[in-house]
Amino acid sequence: MRFKTSVSKLKNDDVIIRGEPLSSLIETLSFSDAIFLLLAGRKPKATESSVFSALLVAIVDHGMGTTSSLAARFVMSGGNPLNAAVGGGILALGDYHGGAIENAMLQLKSLSGEEGKSEEVAAQYVERAVRKKETIFGYGHKVYKEKDPRTATLLALCQKLGYTSPFIDLATQIETALEKAKGRKICLNIDGLIAAILLEMSFLPSLGKGIFIIGRAPGLVAQAVEEQDTERPVRRLDESEIEYLPDSDP
Ligand SMILES: CC(C)(COP(=O)(O)OP(=O)(O)OC[C@H]1O[C@@H](n2cnc3c(N)ncnc32)[C@H](O)[C@@H]1OP(=O)(O)O)[C@@H](O)C(=O)NCCC(=O)NCCS
């Protein structure tokens, strides 16, 4: 059985990763640059390096109330090992939590090929999606209704660094069009902005969820270990928080 790979290979007491010897990468690359090299197949340019590092920081944790943090804590509280708890948190990442990056990349990519000014492309797309009641991935948030502060900070950093992109412009124009169409703000969330940035950096959409997993894994480890070290086992909902529906009463 033969396996083919362009990711990495052991060679002469070293590991060659995307053509670069690990022995020299250890001395020269930051962790986020190494992730970029591994996933994009090339080293980032200076500005890309700063923006990519910042976007990973932006998603490193989002409080214990998120779906994946709670899942990790619940699995841990049942008395399972750390890998099961972190794995449980990762399994909880889906299209509406963390996993929106991939779909947002696919949506933005499909629109970037359309003819016309980007404001018009955005407006037509939103009109179509709202009419068909389709989800526009990368917009809206359970907690942030007016603006996602992480998006605002990352956007400001991109502007400060002069990191511009037609994908970022399109993503913000969709936010404007969505507000007009719905009559209220549905903000560009952090997944949506990350999707636009990753497209500009030439990452494949199929990497979107993986990049979120990489960014959030440290948060899940921190949440799960804290649960294990500081909480008594077996979390459960208080009965007062459970509404028992009368028509299912035996
Ligand atoms: C995150 C999300 C689940 C929050 O849902 P929510 O709290 O129910 O959203 P809200 O209460 O603020 O808004 C509900 C309304 O806005 C619409 N809406 C919200 N986000 C929308 C989106 N991304 N695309 C289209 N319509 C959206 C809903 O259809 C609903 O419309 P209606 O009142 O006409 O029925 C939702 O915005 C969503 O699915 N977003 C896309 C997935 C995503 O990007 N997730 C990453 C989050 S960081």
Side-chain angles (χ1 to χ4, degrees):
M1 191 192 295
R2 285 182 69 79
F3 288 86
K4 291 179 189 161
T5 179
S6 55
V7 177
S8 59
K9 176 95 177 91
L10 305 198
K11 193 175 176 190
N12 303 335
D13 275 348
D14 209 342
V15 186
I16 308 302
I17 295 178
R18 301 287 191 195
E20 305 278 341
L22 181 59
S23 53
S24 73
L25 298 179
I26 290 170
E27 288 182 9
T28 55
L29 286 197
S30 67
F31 185 46
S32 56
D33 282 356
I35 295 166
F36 192 110
L37 170 68
L38 199 52
L39 300 184
R42 65 176 175 89
K43 289 185 193 167
K45 296 177 199 137
T47 315
E48 287 177 324
S49 166
S50 305
V51 174
F52 188 69
S53 168
L55 73 80
L56 289 175
V57 174
I59 53 175
V60 75
D61 189 68
H62 200 215
M64 70 181 286
T66 61
T67 313
S68 53
S69 295
L70 277 179
R73 281 180 177 265
F74 270 85
V75 173
M76 185 56 105
S77 82
N80 292 292
L82 182 63
N83 54 325
V86 173
I90 289 172
L91 287 174
L93 297 172
D95 285 349
Y96 303 104
H97 167 55
I101 297 174
E102 180 175 338
N103 282 329
M105 286 175 85
L106 290 169
Q107 285 175 337
L108 285 173
K109 201 172 175 188
S110 71
L111 290 177
S112 68
E114 288 195 14
E115 299 226 338
K117 286 192 187 155
S118 56
E119 292 99 314
E120 288 158 12
V121 170
Q124 282 162 11
Y125 166 62
V126 167
E127 188 276 318
R128 216 166 44 233
V130 169
R131 185 166 30 84
K132 293 181 172 175
K133 296 192 186 316
E134 286 172 358
T135 300
I136 304 178
F137 289 93
Y139 297 83
H141 198 273
K142 275 281 159 204
V143 179
Y144 306 130
K145 298 304 176 190
E146 284 300 310
K147 77 167 180 186
D148 184 334
R150 302 164 298 175
T151 305
T153 307
L154 189 57
L155 257 182
L157 180 76
C158 289
Q159 278 157 8
K160 194 173 118 194
L161 295 171
Y163 192 76
T164 56
S165 156
F167 290 110
I168 298 177
D169 292 345
L170 184 57
T172 55
Q173 278 150 3
I174 290 173
E175 183 184 40
T176 309
L178 197 49
E179 182 174 5
K180 274 192 197 145
K182 298 290 284 186
R184 67 175 184 83
K185 193 80 183 270
I186 298 177
C187 66
L188 172 62
N189 63 43
I190 190 67
D191 288 14
L193 178 58
I194 288 176
I197 293 171
L198 292 179
L199 282 173
E200 185 59 35
M201 290 175 174
S202 306
F203 283 95
L204 296 172
S206 52
L207 285 165
K209 210 169 267 177
I211 289 174
F212 193 92
I213 292 170
I214 291 166
R216 184 52 60 86
L220 295 176
V221 170
Q223 300 278 349
V225 169
E226 182 181 72
E227 182 71 26
Q228 173 186 251
D229 292 351
T230 65
E231 296 291 333
R232 288 164 65 84
V234 190
R235 285 266 195 194
R236 55 172 293 146
L237 280 180
D238 191 274
E239 288 301 314
S240 66
E241 298 205 52
I242 301 169
E243 187 182 356
Y244 184 55
L245 300 174
D247 63 357
S248 59
D249 219 339

